[in-house]
Amino acid sequence: MPEMPEVETIRRQLAEKIIGCMITDVTISLPRLFKWPTANEVKAYLIHQTITAIKRRGKYLLLTLSNERVLVIHLRMTGRLLYQVKNQKHDPYTRIVFHLDNDKELLYADTRTLGTLYVMSEAELTNITGLTSMGPEPLTPEFTLDYFQTLLAKRHGKIKALLLNQQAIGGLGNIYADECLAVAGIDPERPASDLVPIEVGKLHAAVNRVIKEGIEDGGTTFRDYKNSEGASGTHQHRLWVYGRTGQPCRRCGELILKKIVAGRGSHYCPNCQH
DNA sequence: CTTCACGCCTGTCAGC
DNA sequence: TGCTGACAGGCGTGAA
């Protein structure tokens, strides 16, 4: 479900609420979601620890604890983090409950159970290859036009696949990749290295713009996504192409089409994107 | 090295 | 109504 703007929305909300809170207990209904260490060991590292910081890297959330351990959470397709008062009704797909010392709970709910959690020292984080090898993120100083130009020039695969590659650019997923290509007017199947400089510049700007707007809107709720208060984002109302198959392009009126590119459903305007 | 198909899970929806 | 297959905001693995 969540791409960078959704995860950032959750991070900002939780930062206001749970920094300084102590974890009093952890209820684990689906132990296999913890990839390292085992669910039993995890409890010993978490209980009686205070949450001191919440960071994000790409689509990973990193909760730093007072014992210098880090609780790493990746929501994958359908993970949700819900902050709510104790004794309130739980999401039916709640898999883990972090009990806090302020009469609140942080629920980890996940329909498809593809999410992954870890508890590690800072040094051990390097064992999560998805974190270690992540490329620069949109809206950061590292994501320069120069970097983007060099990246595209040496990649001959489809541009859509490159946008989804977290080692190339951190944080984009299927919705925002389609949106970036729509804003830049580029067909998702174009080989990355074929883009001419003016197109590379347009796409670089589009990536930053689309992600910025996604964050401003509190993310996109297409199907499962909810923020930590259980509320939807609003970016779905501003989408150019994603999920708009058969509807008129907001720019030219041509009907939006969908095709499989890089194994993912890809939405595009056949008139605006070449 | 890059690129691609597949598996992981469960739920939903279109089509028969 | 009930079944089947395709598909869904992701990503790691192994093969070509």
Side-chain angles (χ1 to χ4, degrees):
Chain A
M1 103 188 151
E3 306 179 34
M4 195 261 248
E6 289 74 34
V7 178
E8 176 62 15
T9 300
I10 293 169
R11 188 199 70 75
R12 290 180 184 184
Q13 292 181 332
L14 290 182
E16 285 183 12
K17 297 165 190 158
I18 68 171
I19 290 177
C21 288
M22 190 180 78
I23 299 170
T24 55
D25 199 5
V26 184
T27 307
I28 304 172
S29 310
L30 191 55
R32 67 172 164 78
L33 295 180
F34 279 100
K35 302 305 169 186
W36 184 265
T38 65
N40 274 344
E41 294 172 279
V42 156
K43 277 194 170 192
Y45 287 128
L46 297 179
I47 294 176
H48 300 319
Q49 300 305 317
T50 300
I51 298 161
T52 58
I54 306 181
K55 295 175 215 165
R56 181 190 54 74
R57 183 74 178 94
K59 304 171 195 171
Y60 288 87
L61 274 175
L62 302 136
L63 284 70
T64 309
L65 307 172
S66 43
N67 61 357
E68 309 287 300
R69 297 267 155 178
V70 183
L71 169 60
V72 182
I73 302 174
H74 195 305
L75 304 168
R76 297 282 179 132
M77 295 289 263
T78 53
R80 298 179 290 282
L81 274 172
L82 301 163
Y83 176 79
Q84 60 185 56
V85 179
K86 267 187 173 50
N87 301 322
Q88 213 175 294
K89 193 177 167 193
H90 283 182
D91 181 295
Y93 297 97
T94 299
R95 314 295 188 182
I96 300 165
V97 182
F98 302 93
H99 304 269
L100 304 176
D101 66 350
N102 59 350
D103 285 325
K104 300 279 176 57
E105 297 170 332
L106 184 63
L107 310 184
Y108 177 80
D110 193 341
T111 314
R112 290 172 67 185
T113 71
L114 296 171
T116 50
L117 294 88
Y118 311 77
V119 180
M120 289 179 161
S121 67
E122 290 279 353
E124 287 168 338
L125 291 180
T126 56
N127 291 318
I128 305 176
T129 54
L131 259 184
T132 313
S133 63
M134 189 174 300
E137 293 179 34
L139 305 176
T140 65
E142 293 75 31
F143 184 64
T144 60
L145 179 56
D146 194 51
Y147 168 80
F148 197 59
Q149 279 170 332
T150 308
L151 174 72
L152 266 60
K154 61 188 178 191
R155 301 294 190 117
H156 307 298
K158 293 165 181 166
I159 184 63
K160 164 95 184 240
L162 185 59
L163 292 181
L164 290 173
N165 183 341
Q166 303 299 296
Q167 297 176 35
I169 305 160
L172 291 182
N174 203 36
I175 292 179
Y176 294 103
D178 279 1
E179 291 296 293
C180 293
L181 290 166
V183 169
I186 295 166
D187 186 287
E189 293 195 276
R190 288 275 299 286
S193 53
D194 282 8
L195 269 63
V196 299
I198 192 158
E199 292 175 317
V200 176
K202 276 189 188 176
L203 185 55
H204 180 261
V207 168
N208 280 326
R209 171 183 162 187
V210 164
I211 290 297
K212 178 167 174 281
E213 292 178 351
I215 294 172
E216 286 169 359
D217 291 345
T220 305
T221 297
F222 201 77
R223 176 178 268 109
D224 298 302
Y225 169 69
K226 299 286 180 187
N227 65 29
S228 69
E229 298 166 357
S232 296
T234 63
H235 195 64
Q236 61 276 14
H237 304 304
R238 296 172 68 181
L239 293 171
W240 292 94
V241 292
Y242 187 88
R244 300 193 63 248
T245 312
Q247 296 176 45
C249 172
R250 297 189 195 282
R251 198 176 285 123
C252 76
E254 189 80 20
L255 298 188
I256 301 301
L257 299 182
K258 181 179 178 183
K259 59 183 173 182
I260 303 295
V261 181
R264 311 293 300 275
S266 302
H267 312 73
Y268 67 103
C269 171
N271 187 42
C272 296
Q273 294 177 249
H274 299 282

